Amino acid sequence: MKAVKCPYCGGPTKRNGRTSSGAQRWRCTACGASTTVRYDDTAARFDEFLSWLLSKDTQLEMPGAGRTFRRRTAEFWEVWPMPVPDGEFHRVLFVDGIWLAERLVVLICCSEDRVVSWYMAQSENSRAWSALMEPIPAPDVVVADGGSGFAKAVRAAWPRTKVQRCLFHAYAQVKRCTTTRPKLQAGRELYQIALDLTHIKTLHQAELWRERYLDWCGFWSDFLEDTTLVDGKRAYTHERLRKARRSLSSLVSAGTLFTFLDPELTKAGPLPYTNNKIEGGVNAQLRAVLRNHRGLTTLKRVKAVFWWCHARSGDARTAKEKLAAMPRDSDIDLLYDVYSASRKHDDGRPEWGDRAVWEELHRKDPFPFWL
């Protein structure tokens, strides 16, 4: 055991019975002062909390059938683990959002080996995407599934970054309209064209695919203009096929389908063409965490996602340093009351995803926002 020194004169101490609460009392052999030593077990309790949260263990399996565990770790549910911008450049980044409630989504940005940043918002709008991306150095390529508002945010935050649309999501968007067994010949052809997207490996194949798609659009253009009288109003007969065509036409016009084949970008190495890195490596793992701990409140589900992202972010600080720098619920409430300019609910609760809060919690200097 580490020797206990007198807090007054620094002299050696010896055991001197116990206090009424059972704590060991120490008496200084030099000045005669008595003291007790209180050991900080915050780091141990923090590790216990994260070990449970990121595992399949239930609270019933913890000491005291969960009661002791909940008492020892309750304070960590008040902490908001925020990303710390480190200025590291990544050649390729993947972005996506995981929905936790009807108006609550956590936007996540990851690289090939770690989670880079995360942001909570009401929806996948351009303002939320910009808040996620602005603190991160612009990559050469960003792979996305085409969420609403993303294109506008990229132009504003990362104007020189090339966008690669996830080819699997482009195919899946067509499949939702045509199904895997279309009844119409036009639907069968379009479904096969979309399916072939995931097998393109060269620029020549990409050009042949583009010509094939444009030929399909020209051949079936008159067919897709057919209308039917519905409730006294004219409506397109094949609206679902038209929707599938719009989804592919917009991607062809934007030029985001085959960014991974750009010769200038591939000089440094091959590029991904799907969002599998974040879908399987992040979102699937997050859903497993939420599934393992069913019954958490909405706020705790958000923090569980934040803690998982933080654990994969490569933050090398000690537990004590992290907890000292991370904001708590009381800090968030203060920021909403003082800085928030957004509308609030009828009962006074603030809306999710306020930009002012993000600015205060993601400072680029090393000082906490409350300083």
Side-chain angles (χ1 to χ4, degrees):
M1 181 179 176
K2 185 177 180 180
V4 177
K5 298 294 185 180
C6 177
Y8 305 105
C9 69
T13 62
K14 64 179 181 178
R15 297 178 187 272
N16 188 33
R18 294 184 177 275
T19 64
S20 59
S21 62
Q24 178 66 56
R25 184 188 292 114
W26 299 85
R27 183 178 178 83
C28 178
T29 58
C31 68
S34 293
T35 186
T36 57
V37 178
R38 185 173 182 177
Y39 297 97
D40 187 2
D41 63 343
T42 304
R45 292 186 292 109
F46 178 67
D47 291 339
E48 183 181 5
F49 171 74
L50 285 186
S51 297
W52 166 79
L53 185 62
L54 304 181
S55 71
K56 297 181 179 180
D57 297 338
T58 64
Q59 292 190 9
L60 189 62
E61 299 170 345
M62 306 304 289
R67 295 181 181 180
T68 303
F69 170 76
R70 286 192 291 272
R71 185 181 66 252
R72 286 170 52 83
T73 61
E75 64 174 287
F76 304 121
W77 281 119
E78 300 179 3
V79 180
W80 286 86
M82 296 296 181
V84 180
D86 55 8
E88 180 181 355
F89 169 78
H90 300 275
R91 179 169 172 254
V92 180
L93 288 176
F94 306 83
V95 296
D96 198 9
I98 180 169
W99 286 86
L100 303 180
E102 183 179 357
R103 290 177 60 81
L104 178 57
V105 61
V106 177
L107 307 180
I108 301 174
C109 175
C110 77
S111 65
E112 291 284 354
D113 53 356
R114 69 182 181 90
V115 177
V116 177
S117 187
W118 52 95
Y119 179 74
M120 178 179 63
Q122 298 181 69
S123 63
E124 296 185 37
N125 53 45
S126 59
R127 179 172 169 268
W129 283 115
S130 297
L132 174 75
M133 295 186 291
E134 284 178 356
I136 307 172
D140 291 337
V141 177
V142 57
V143 184
D145 63 0
S148 58
F150 177 75
K152 179 180 178 181
V154 169
R155 291 193 297 268
W158 296 340
R160 298 184 180 180
T161 297
K162 301 293 184 179
V163 177
Q164 170 61 53
R165 180 66 155 82
C166 176
L167 295 188
F168 179 81
H169 280 88
Y171 152 72
Q173 195 167 358
V174 173
K175 184 181 70 172
R176 281 195 293 270
C177 298
T178 63
T179 74
T180 57
R181 295 182 180 181
K183 295 181 179 180
L184 300 176
Q185 180 63 26
R188 286 193 288 268
E189 292 179 8
L190 183 60
Y191 174 76
Q192 189 59 49
I193 290 173
L195 181 61
D196 292 342
L197 262 178
T198 58
H199 303 293
I200 293 176
K201 304 297 181 183
T202 64
L203 280 174
H204 179 64
Q205 293 176 347
E207 186 60 33
L208 291 178
W209 181 91
R210 187 181 293 106
E211 293 178 1
R212 181 182 167 196
Y213 171 69
L214 294 177
D215 289 343
W216 180 91
C217 291
F219 184 83
W220 294 102
S221 60
D222 293 338
F223 175 76
L224 295 179
E225 294 297 323
D226 291 346
T227 59
T228 305
L229 193 62
V230 179
D231 297 332
K233 296 181 180 180
R234 285 287 175 180
Y236 288 108
T237 306
H238 311 291
E239 180 57 38
R240 293 177 66 86
L241 271 179
R242 291 174 60 86
K243 182 179 179 181
R245 182 183 64 175
R246 286 195 301 269
S247 68
L248 284 181
S249 296
S250 62
L251 296 177
V252 171
S253 300
T256 58
L257 282 175
F258 306 116
T259 303
F260 73 102
L261 299 174
D262 189 330
E264 293 296 324
L265 297 174
T266 55
K267 289 180 181 179
L271 295 170
Y273 55 87
T274 66
N275 226 5
N276 290 346
K277 186 67 181 178
I278 194 169
E279 287 287 352
V282 177
N283 288 354
Q285 304 298 323
L286 286 173
R287 293 188 182 98
V289 169
L290 299 176
R291 185 170 57 251
N292 292 333
H293 303 298
R294 297 183 294 275
L296 295 177
T297 63
T298 301
L299 189 59
K300 287 186 176 181
R301 287 166 62 85
V302 172
K303 292 183 179 181
V305 170
F306 275 37
W307 277 121
W308 189 95
C309 292
H310 179 268
R312 269 69 176 181
S313 65
D315 192 340
R317 294 177 297 176
T318 64
K320 186 176 181 180
E321 292 172 339
K322 293 177 183 178
L323 295 175
M326 291 176 179
R328 297 177 180 265
D329 287 342
S330 57
D331 302 317
I332 300 293
D333 293 340
L334 175 64
L335 286 174
Y336 272 125
D337 293 338
V338 177
Y339 297 105
S340 177
S342 68
R343 60 188 180 90
K344 294 180 171 57
H345 292 283
D346 295 337
D347 59 359
R349 291 182 297 111
E351 294 279 5
W352 294 111
D354 193 310
R355 178 55 183 272
V357 173
W358 183 91
E359 292 288 359
E360 293 298 326
L361 296 178
H362 297 73
R363 297 178 66 88
K364 296 182 179 181
D365 57 58
F367 303 105
F369 68 93
W370 52 83
L371 296 181

